[in-house]
Amino acid sequence: MTTRVWPRREFLWRLSQSALGSLILAQACDQVIPGQSKSTSVLVLGAGLSGLYTALLLEAKGLSVTVLEARDRVGGRIYTLTGIPGKPDVGGQIFTEKYHRLLNLANSLQVAVEPAKVSERKILLNIRGQAVLPQNWATSTANRLTKNEHSIIPSHLLAHYLRSYNILENATAWIKPNHFSLDIPLDKYLKTRGASTEALRLISCDSGSRTNSLKTTSTLWALRNDLRSKFPSKRLAHVRGGNSYLPEKMAAFLLSPVQTHKVVQAIYSNDVGVEVRCSDGSKYQADYAVVTLPFSVLRRVNITPPLQGLQAEAVQELPYTAVTQICLKIRAPFWENDGYPPKMWTDSLLESVLPIRDATGRIQSLVCWATGTRAKKLDALNLEAVKKLVISELSRVRPATTGNVEIERVVSWGNDPFSRGAYSYFAPGQIRRFQHQMAKPWQRIHFAGEHTAIATPGMESALESAERVTQEILERISDGSGLKNHLVY
Ligand SMILES: Cc1cc2nc3c(=O)[nH]c(=O)nc-3n(C[C@H](O)[C@H](O)[C@H](O)COP(=O)(O)OP(=O)(O)OC[C@H]3O[C@@H](n4cnc5c(N)ncnc54)[C@H](O)[C@@H]3O)c2cc1C
């Protein structure tokens, strides 16, 4: 026990020294609900980044926190495949110097962060079954783009059309009503900006658009993402040894261990507290619950009394992008045979193929990405059929892979019962209707998770949401007097 107390104290001290940490941790709060002698209790549902960070912050304020997690591991959509050469991260992969919360957290927990190996400047395009190097794209017979678009590399087409007229002033402008006229289908918008049918086809093949289809994507959402990539980050980074190490270390610093294998099935809330029921028959009671489950999963959880109005609709309808990754073991370096770069961008079922390198830059394995309709096509097949299809598709687009790669693992975020998609996005009209309703507390239930964040992307957004929900709970239980401003070491 003594070995744990000192690092925890040091962790909280480090966290409180940062601008963001101090803002939350200095929040006034009375840990005891008026009229009760015990400290306020909170059930946090989900041990992804948002749930773990919420739990750490609430515990730091002296609240009694229990984290319930369905899987046998923490981290949720952060998932390092440690058993595969190169330890690919098949969930959250890269962060930048702009991820202030994540970097501060990693620093506070003494989790080492290192530059990501992004030496993959060279890429092979495979369009309409033809292998084309980017320098030859403008003159390739595979290039059916219009004259104006001819010299644009397929993966740059979306940015080309969005960036030339991105009216968002800053990272939070996308939720402002004055921009709601752009909460319209992305395919229609791109057409009005001059995108050709072939450009739309190629943009749809690009996992960079991060949604299931252009038709089901709000232009405002796409502009929000574009704004972020408009100011390129100087430093791409990841956690040394794999990103999973960060949530694992967060969990290790909690006073109460995360309860794994707890599949939440029902949440009841009344005037005095909450009760959560899990599939194994266990029940948990507390003063409040923080739900971090993706809405794609939450829509199957029974909430009593039921959510109302637009919030209920948002839980049912918010779309999640299907992403399926196929990890490939390399039998022989096939790129030495055909002389092309190992990294590929294709308009085939397999979209992109990315090398996973070790610290010395040596390629250890490859990961293919399929998103949207392509991922859904794979997700509808059984594992053997997926393997067969992927190998034959690889042979077709890159004959040199034949006999030189084998499938080691298939990870489908769309079929995963605890994520049912890789990331949330907004369909046309949903930003206007849903965004301001999604995270509203309902009775004694509060909501966090990447889907509820506003100003930041990806892993950072999960942490942003944790800070917001922590503040919400602290404000709720604070009686405005007898302030307990200190941290509980
Ligand atoms: C393929 C992929 C690539 C990505 N790449 C990047 C990237 O490069 N950079 C970046 O910043 N972000 C990236 N992200 C996004 C990032 O990983 C997520 O935004 C972030 O991890 C989400 O954290 P969260 O806590 O909101 O959700 P989650 O991590 O999903 O946490 C929710 C938790 O709830 C649990 N749960 C679900 N159902 C139940 C239930 N019924 N009962 C109990 N527990 C339940 C889940 O198991 C999970 O642990 C990527 C994500 C994916 C999938």
Side-chain angles (χ1 to χ4, degrees):
M1 195 61 191
T2 41
T3 50
R4 205 163 154 189
V5 170
W6 270 105
R8 183 178 152 77
R9 183 177 294 194
E10 195 182 321
F11 157 63
L12 290 172
W13 182 82
R14 281 170 178 249
L15 195 65
S16 68
Q17 293 311 294
S18 75
L20 290 164
S22 63
L23 209 70
I24 300 289
L25 295 177
Q27 176 102 16
C29 124
D30 194 329
Q31 307 148 24
V32 179
I33 290 185
Q36 293 183 14
S37 55
K38 65 180 178 66
S39 68
T40 305
S41 55
V42 181
L43 292 172
V44 174
L45 313 188
L49 271 191
S50 59
L52 291 170
Y53 191 38
T54 303
L56 283 169
L57 291 172
L58 290 175
E59 270 194 354
K61 293 300 290 183
L63 277 68
S64 160
V65 182
T66 304
V67 184
L68 302 177
E69 166 57 48
R71 300 178 204 263
D72 59 358
R73 61 171 180 87
V74 300
R77 279 172 279 169
I78 293 185
Y79 188 25
T80 310
L81 297 183
T82 47
I84 290 187
K87 298 184 185 169
D89 268 303
V90 287
Q93 305 182 321
I94 301 288
F95 45 86
T96 72
E97 77 280 1
K98 293 173 193 158
Y99 282 48
H100 301 294
R101 294 173 182 86
L102 190 145
L103 290 170
N104 173 44
L105 196 52
N107 179 43
S108 304
L109 291 163
Q110 295 181 300
V111 167
V113 163
E114 63 184 14
K117 294 170 264 321
V118 281
S119 54
E120 306 302 335
R121 302 258 175 261
K122 292 184 181 156
I123 186 165
L124 176 68
L125 307 175
N126 190 291
I127 316 285
R128 296 184 177 276
Q130 280 188 54
V132 188
L133 289 169
Q135 59 269 32
N136 303 328
W137 171 239
T139 54
S140 166
T141 53
N143 188 337
R144 309 251 176 107
L145 293 167
T146 58
K147 209 171 157 197
N148 292 343
E149 298 164 330
H150 228 236
S151 56
I152 307 166
I153 299 295
S155 56
H156 295 173
L157 280 165
L158 181 61
H160 168 80
Y161 280 111
L162 292 179
R163 206 153 302 166
S164 53
Y165 187 63
N166 193 337
I167 52 155
L168 298 183
E169 315 84 48
N170 55 47
T172 57
W174 65 283
I175 62 163
K176 302 272 158 59
N178 57 318
H179 294 310
F180 286 172
S181 58
L182 286 167
D183 197 11
I184 55 171
L186 183 55
D187 58 343
K188 279 197 183 142
Y189 175 81
L190 293 173
K191 268 188 223 164
T192 63
R193 306 287 318 150
S196 66
T197 310
E198 178 65 356
L200 293 178
R201 187 187 76 82
L202 291 172
I203 291 171
S204 306
C205 297
D206 186 16
S207 57
S209 64
R210 297 194 215 112
T211 63
N212 284 331
S213 72
L214 301 181
K215 201 179 170 151
T216 63
T217 303
S218 164
T219 301
L220 202 45
W221 177 254
L223 288 169
R224 162 201 185 267
N225 292 333
D226 175 67
L227 189 75
R228 288 179 178 147
S229 25
K230 193 170 168 182
F231 307 104
S233 303
K234 291 183 215 96
R235 229 184 91 214
L236 299 180
H238 61 182
V239 170
R240 185 177 300 155
N243 289 339
S244 282
Y245 188 48
L246 178 64
E248 283 163 11
K249 200 84 191 271
M250 290 165 82
F253 271 76
L254 286 171
L255 291 173
S256 306
V258 172
Q259 306 287 302
T260 50
H261 300 288
K262 294 293 175 190
V263 181
V264 171
Q265 285 188 324
I267 310 166
Y268 299 85
S269 176
N270 60 25
D271 289 347
V272 291
V274 289
E275 180 172 289
V276 169
R277 295 187 190 168
C278 299
S279 60
D280 62 358
S282 54
K283 294 178 189 172
Y284 295 82
Q285 278 115 18
D287 298 313
Y288 299 98
V290 173
V291 178
T292 73
L293 278 44
F295 278 4
S296 47
V297 176
L298 188 62
R299 61 187 64 139
R300 291 160 190 254
V301 172
N302 191 18
I303 299 178
T304 308
L307 298 174
Q308 301 291 307
L310 289 174
Q311 189 175 31
E313 283 183 43
V315 170
Q316 291 305 319
E317 293 171 22
L318 193 74
Y320 278 74
T321 307
V323 173
T324 298
Q325 288 150 304
I326 302 105
C327 302
L328 300 169
K329 186 174 174 176
I330 303 161
R331 285 194 189 137
F334 59 86
W335 53 92
E336 289 175 8
N337 295 346
D338 64 11
Y340 288 133
K343 181 177 174 180
M344 291 174 71
W345 191 101
T346 85
D347 62 354
S348 77
L349 183 70
L350 300 176
E351 278 174 34
S352 52
V353 180
L354 307 170
I356 305 295
R357 295 178 187 266
D358 65 14
T360 66
R362 212 167 142 253
I363 297 178
Q364 297 291 305
S365 59
L366 297 166
V367 179
C368 305
W369 278 64
T371 52
T373 45
R374 289 168 191 78
K376 286 180 184 179
K377 188 171 174 186
L378 292 172
D379 291 352
L381 305 173
N382 67 38
L383 187 59
E384 279 319 300
V386 170
K387 288 183 174 181
K388 222 169 134 188
L389 184 60
V390 167
I391 288 293
S392 84
E393 191 66 353
L394 264 174
S395 285
R396 186 180 70 79
V397 297
R398 188 83 183 248
T401 61
T402 311
N404 290 327
V405 292
E406 70 183 79
I407 293 179
E408 203 149 29
R409 182 85 182 257
V410 176
V411 177
S412 162
W413 290 101
N415 279 347
D416 183 320
F418 306 124
S419 63
R420 298 193 180 277
Y423 11 74
S424 62
Y425 66 98
F426 287 86
Q430 288 187 342
I431 294 179
R432 181 174 47 79
R433 294 177 66 231
F434 295 162
Q435 197 286 321
H436 62 294
Q437 297 287 330
M438 284 166 46
K440 258 183 24 187
W442 173 241
Q443 307 250 329
R444 282 175 169 254
I445 305 170
H446 291 248
F447 298 89
E450 56 92 20
H451 50 288
T452 65
I454 295 170
T456 56
M459 296 181 262
E460 184 75 355
S461 70
L463 302 176
E464 177 194 319
S465 75
E467 289 183 354
R468 191 254 314 136
V469 86
T470 301
Q471 258 169 328
E472 253 172 42
I473 291 195
L474 295 184
E475 275 167 21
R476 194 163 172 176
I477 62 176
S478 170
D479 66 356
S481 65
L483 305 180
K484 293 191 167 115
N485 252 339
H486 58 278
L487 302 184
V488 179
Y489 289 131

